[in-house]
Amino acid sequence: MNRTITQEETEQLFQFCRRHYVYHYDVQIELVDHLASSIEEQWKQNPELSFDEGLKNAFKKFGIYGFSKIKKQKERELKRKYNRLLWKYLVKFYRWPKVITTFVSTLGLFLLFQVIEKSIWIIGSFMLLLFIGVILYHFLIFKKAKLEAIPGKSFLLVDQYSRVTQTYSVIAQLPNISFQTFNILGLKSIENIWILLGLSFFMVALTVFLYGQFFYVPQKIKEHFLEQFAEFAL
């Protein structure tokens, strides 16, 4: 009968990961699985090999920066995964039947540009509304619905959830950027219909993107976390 990793040895592997600066539990699980498989594979060849010696041999395969590389790889995988989810969400608004809502919104905004002479006020008001919306979202929604793990446990998924706040600083600058651009160009209004149509398309697309970034993606991350680590959620 082949020798297998015991529960006590599994805990030692988790401690080993923590000693090597891997603090995210979801990354630790993956590393522990790799290490345990490697040790058990060695035991098939040499059943008398000690656990410590097997662990030392297994760790050598990762190299000096092996653990940090796996952590970065995991971060990239998560980022790509949720970027793909966001992209799929955005594309839905330009496919039937949601494209009707997107088209009507874009057309309505374009007609508004035709009615109001000073385009700067429409663009500035839109950016200001986005800024106010982000502030309200942060204090009234995000903080209350925040994903948190029990004390003593760190998760890469939780960090990914919290990263939506990184968009705040960009949104906060949009009203200022808009007015500065108009001032530099010496414009108060835009008369070219193609530019106005492009602006209308961009403003609607930006709204859809931000809704997906602040509501859809965080909800998906939360669902995935609860599916995998429900016992660690607060």
Side-chain angles (χ1 to χ4, degrees), residues 108-127:
L109 194 52
F110 175 69
L111 293 174
L112 189 62
F113 275 121
Q114 303 298 306
V115 172
I116 298 176
E117 290 185 5
K118 293 186 177 180
S119 307
I120 188 172
W121 295 115
I122 300 174
I123 297 169
S125 299
F126 171 76
M127 297 302 177

Side-chain angles (χ1 to χ4, degrees), residues 10 17 19 55 65 70 90 108 125 137 154 161 188 228-229:
T10 299
C17 290
R19 285 199 302 273
L55 176 56
Y65 303 107
I70 286 181
L90 293 176
S125 299
Y137 167 82
S154 175
Y161 182 89
K188 293 295 178 185
Q228 299 174 60
F229 309 108

Side-chain angles (χ1 to χ4, degrees), residues 54-138:
L55 176 56
K56 190 184 293 183
N57 295 335
F59 184 57
K60 283 180 184 177
K61 294 179 183 178
F62 287 94
I64 299 173
Y65 303 107
F67 277 12
S68 60
K69 283 182 181 178
I70 286 181
K71 182 191 171 186
K72 287 177 183 177
Q73 181 184 340
K74 188 79 173 172
E75 287 173 343
R76 284 195 298 268
E77 285 174 3
L78 280 177
K79 190 175 180 181
R80 282 197 295 266
K81 176 181 178 179
Y82 292 109
N83 282 343
R84 283 196 298 269
L85 279 177
L86 180 57
W87 173 248
K88 287 179 182 178
Y89 172 81
L90 293 176
V91 168
K92 284 180 182 178
F93 281 85
Y94 293 91
R95 288 180 178 169
W96 188 266
K98 286 188 177 182
V99 70
I100 296 175
T101 304
T102 312
F103 174 77
V104 170
S105 300
T106 304
L107 182 61
L109 194 52
F110 175 69
L111 293 174
L112 189 62
F113 275 121
Q114 303 298 306
V115 172
I116 298 176
E117 290 185 5
K118 293 186 177 180
S119 307
I120 188 172
W121 295 115
I122 300 174
I123 297 169
S125 299
F126 171 76
M127 297 302 177
L128 188 60
L129 283 172
L130 282 185
F131 174 70
I132 294 170
V134 166
I135 297 298
L136 292 175
Y137 167 82
H138 178 70

Side-chain angles (χ1 to χ4, degrees), residues 42-56:
Q42 293 176 64
W43 281 340
K44 286 180 183 178
Q45 306 299 323
N46 181 11
E48 301 303 317
L49 186 72
S50 70
F51 170 78
D52 290 337
E53 203 59 40
L55 176 56
K56 190 184 293 183

